[in-house]
């Protein structure tokens, strides 16, 4: 009976997706094909509604498959060795960025979804990593490589993929299409069926798929099943906001896109109950929040507004914008969570700051990051103007100073940023180059000609092992102090991703919030001095329960007098917890 209910649910979802597509009418037959591709019957289980398949122990390291290399060893095996050596006791999950054969964009232009890039390793290496920790993988679902067999068949007009791609007419009104890039939207392509204008949201090597063709959906469901078999348990839907297009409008965040995500969730969670979907939607905050649906769409969304707002707070010494944003954020329902990060393989996205930072604040942020050696990537605005899209910079360099210039407090400022992130509601993700304090890689920019390469350094394992073993080296200091914070975090019930969170009002220099465990036994007051001067924290303003013992988890100091003032050094964070 439950499997019949799932089939009926899929039929309803397919009806919503394809109701305007005349060529699709047999929704029940299509639903059965999807269930067959997913092999749902083999492990069918009705998912528990609003279940949290995560806890305070979950911390994700984000990395490329070849971020750490060793001569004579497959990079995925070297990565496994790095994690076993340096993170096993603290980080239980890993997001390996696209590990498939690709033609550009460091993996996000996939040639073959069914293969592992042989320059990295093979499926056995992926499964070995998945057997040791939770594995997140990218489902690059909006587009694929122009060098893929699918697109070559599109050009030939025959074979699998010949009808997989979205085309438009030069007479279509494309003036309202939202673009993350400045390149022309349409790519003229000679095919066996004549000249076609292929839709390219990102680049002309990244050709957009046409989900109006249900064969595209069926193919991606089969890909999901293959990844599940390899041990993938978290699916990152890359650039999914652009999935469905209707010329004449913005072609982003369309209802069909949301329904496709809901359908994929239905299939995945009825097949492997603890497998998750996270949507990568680098868009304004209010739009990003819609991808939770009613706890029936993405299990998690990226907290894209956090990086620009947190960096802004730390370079200006004022948390007013960060605090205002956090106050506006709804708590995640059970069954969903925020994915928090402050650095990534791309950069500090600026679209998620739109409407949260003024245009002047954004340009101050951009200018300050350029002074720290950063680069800027641009997009085309609605009126055809060039607007900053993201800042490309290594986070360690980004926080080596303020709007007033570089100073000596970079390490403490950097640790403060991570202490804030680690305390917030949600699951933290830490980019490997943030974990070890990698600096701007200007040589790689020269080699690739791409701004994003500045934060995509490739380490040699022996070199990295040497610097991480030297207690006087800044990379060792970063890793050891971040691991100390993570070690504390993963032991606190009040840091459960869905534990209660309230923003504290402590002025512009002290950023604070209160967390309470789901069983209400533990409270943690997280307070960070985001300025470069000492600021007193008046403990009386926190309303600490008088008959409890209070402790700063970070310094391991007891709070003897809860009515006193606690001086916070520049960029110092305290996690004040009751003894339980």
């Amino acid at each position: 009976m439950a499997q019949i209910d799932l089939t009926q649910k899929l039929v309803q979802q397919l009806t919503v997706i394809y109701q305007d597509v005349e060529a699709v009418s047999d929704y029940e037959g299509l639903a059965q094909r999807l269930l067959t591709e997913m092999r749902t019957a083999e492990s069918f289980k009705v998912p528990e509604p609003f279940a949290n398949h995560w806890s305070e122990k979950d911390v994700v390291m984000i990395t490329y498959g070849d971020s750490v290399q060793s001569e004579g060893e497959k990079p995925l095996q070297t990565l496994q060795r790095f994690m076993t050596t340096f993170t096993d006791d603290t980080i239980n999950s890993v997001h390996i960025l696209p590990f498939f054969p690709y033609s550009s964009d460091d993996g996000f232009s996939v040639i073959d979804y069914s293969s592992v890039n042989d320059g990295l390793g093979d499926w056995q290496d992926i499964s070995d990593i998945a057997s040791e920790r939770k594995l997140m993988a990218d489902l690059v679902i909006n587009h694929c490589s122009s060098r893929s067999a699918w697109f070559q068949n599109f050009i030939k007009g025959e074979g699998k993929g010949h009808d997989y791609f979205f085309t438009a007419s030069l007479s279509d009104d494309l003036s309202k299409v939202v673009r993350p890039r400045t390149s022309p939207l349409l790519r003229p392509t000679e095919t066996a069926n004549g000249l076609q204008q292929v839709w390219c949201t990102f680049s002309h090597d990244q050709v957009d798929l046409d989900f109006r063709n249900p064969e595209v959906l069926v193919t991606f469901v089969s890909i999901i099943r293959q990844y599940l078999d390899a041990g993938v348990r978290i699916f990152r839907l890359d650039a999914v906001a652009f999935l469905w297009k209707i010329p004449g409008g913005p072609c982003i965040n369309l209802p069909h896109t949301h329904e496709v995500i809901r359908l994929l969730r239905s299939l995945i969670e009825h097949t492997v109950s603890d497998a998750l979907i996270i949507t990568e939607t680098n868009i304004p905050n209010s739009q990003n929040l819609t991808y939770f649906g009613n706890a029936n769409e993405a299990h998690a969304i990226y907290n894209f507004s956090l990086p620009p707002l947190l960096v802004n707070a730390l370079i200006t010494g004022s948390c007013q914008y960060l605090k205002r944003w956090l106050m506006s954020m709804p708590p995640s329902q059970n069954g969903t969570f925020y994915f928090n990060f402050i650095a990534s393989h791309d950069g500090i996205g600026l679209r998620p700051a739109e409407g949260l930072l003024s245009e002047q604040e954004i340009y101050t942020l951009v200018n300050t990051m350029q002074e720290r050696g950063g680069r800027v990537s641009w997009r085309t605005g609605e009126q055809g103007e060039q607007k900053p899209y993201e800042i490309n910079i290594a986070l360690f360099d980004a926080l080596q100073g303020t709007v007033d210039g570089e100073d000596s407090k970079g390490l403490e400022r950097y640790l403060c940023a991570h202490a804030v992130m680690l305390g917030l509601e949600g699951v933290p993700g830490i980019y490997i180059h943030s974990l070890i304090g990698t600096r701007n890689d200007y040589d790689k920019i020269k080699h690739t000609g791409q701004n994003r390469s500045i934060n995509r350094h490739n380490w040699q394992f022996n070199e990295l092992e040497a610097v991480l073993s030297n207690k006087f080296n800044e990379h060792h200091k970063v890793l050891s102090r971040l691991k100390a914070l993570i070690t504390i975090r993963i032991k606190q019930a009040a840091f459960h991703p869905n534990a209660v969170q309230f923003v504290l009002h402590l002025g512009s220099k002290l950023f604070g919030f209160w967390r309470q465990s789901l069983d209400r036994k533990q409270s943690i007051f997280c307070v960070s001095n985001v300025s470069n001067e000492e600021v007193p924290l008046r403990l009386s303003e926190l309303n600490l329960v008088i008959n409890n013992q209070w402790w700063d988890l970070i310094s391991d100091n007891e709070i003897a007098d809860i009515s006193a003032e606690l001086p916070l050094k520049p960029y110092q964070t305290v996690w004040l917890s009751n003894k339980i």
Side-chain angles (χ1 to χ4, degrees), residues 493 500 514 516-523 578 580:
V500 171
W514 171 68
Q516 185 183 56
S517 59
L518 297 174
D519 62 10
R520 300 186 178 182
K521 291 181 179 179
Q522 184 185 27
S523 288
N578 59 314
I580 56 172

Side-chain angles (χ1 to χ4, degrees), residues 72 142 154 161 312 418 449 574:
N142 177 71
F154 168 79
N312 174 77
H418 287 86
V574 291

Side-chain angles (χ1 to χ4, degrees), residues 166-188 196-201 204 208 212 242 244-252 254 379-384:
F166 197 95
T167 60
S169 169
L170 294 177
S171 62
D172 288 333
D173 178 9
L174 305 179
S175 61
K176 297 179 182 177
V177 175
V178 173
R179 297 293 315 287
R181 299 290 187 272
T182 57
S183 58
L185 175 62
L186 300 181
R187 164 190 163 144
Q196 301 286 317
Q197 300 293 332
V198 181
W199 193 287
C200 298
T201 298
H204 283 192
D208 281 35
R212 294 175 303 180
F242 302 96
W244 201 275
K245 294 93 170 162
I246 300 177
C251 299
I252 189 172
L254 294 182
R379 70 180 182 89
T380 302
E382 295 176 4
Q383 307 303 319

Side-chain angles (χ1 to χ4, degrees), residues 64 105-106 108 180-181 202 280 282 344-347 375 377 389-393 431 441 444-445 448-457:
Y64 279 102
D105 200 17
D106 278 359
F108 286 94
R181 299 290 187 272
F202 290 88
E280 188 271 331
N282 191 359
S344 76
H345 61 289
D346 287 341
R375 304 291 192 266
S377 296
Y389 176 70
E390 71 182 13
I391 301 164
N392 307 113
I393 191 169
Y431 188 38
D441 190 337
K444 194 164 188 181
I445 290 182
T448 66
Q450 302 295 320
N451 286 345
R452 286 177 165 178
S453 296
I454 197 171
N455 198 22
R456 298 180 179 180
H457 183 69

Side-chain angles (χ1 to χ4, degrees), residues 34-186:
L34 295 175
L35 289 167
T36 299
E37 291 290 347
M38 186 63 92
R39 307 201 311 274
T40 300
E42 294 179 9
S43 57
F44 180 85
K45 184 176 182 181
V46 178
E48 180 186 348
F50 305 105
N52 296 328
H53 299 291
W54 43 83
S55 75
E56 61 277 4
K57 299 185 185 303
D58 288 312
V59 179
V60 181
M61 185 181 79
I62 306 162
T63 181
Y64 279 102
D66 61 354
S67 290
V68 187
Q69 304 173 7
S70 184
E71 188 174 351
E73 184 175 44
K74 292 186 287 187
L76 286 172
Q77 294 179 357
T78 307
L79 176 63
Q80 176 82 307
R81 188 153 59 100
F82 168 81
M83 292 187 290
T84 300
T85 304
F86 293 105
T87 70
D88 250 8
D89 54 342
T90 48
I91 297 177
N92 69 347
S93 307
V94 61
H95 171 203
I96 304 178
L97 291 152
F99 45 77
F100 320 104
Y102 70 95
S103 55
S104 63
D105 200 17
D106 278 359
F108 286 94
S109 185
V110 179
I111 293 175
D112 179 8
Y113 290 84
S114 64
S115 302
V116 174
N117 182 348
D118 58 15
L120 297 177
D122 54 33
W123 281 114
Q124 185 60 55
D125 298 315
I126 293 294
S127 295
D128 289 345
I129 290 172
S131 70
E132 298 289 333
R133 59 203 86 241
K134 295 180 183 180
L135 175 60
M136 183 194 302
D138 287 273
L139 192 68
V140 185
I141 196 169
N142 177 71
H143 51 263
C144 71
S145 169
S146 66
R147 287 174 49 194
S148 65
W150 295 348
F151 194 68
Q152 296 309 305
N153 286 341
F154 168 79
I155 292 173
K156 291 186 292 185
E158 60 183 18
K160 183 175 182 178
H162 79 275
D163 53 356
Y164 277 19
F165 297 94
F166 197 95
T167 60
S169 169
L170 294 177
S171 62
D172 288 333
D173 178 9
L174 305 179
S175 61
K176 297 179 182 177
V177 175
V178 173
R179 297 293 315 287
R181 299 290 187 272
T182 57
S183 58
L185 175 62
L186 300 181

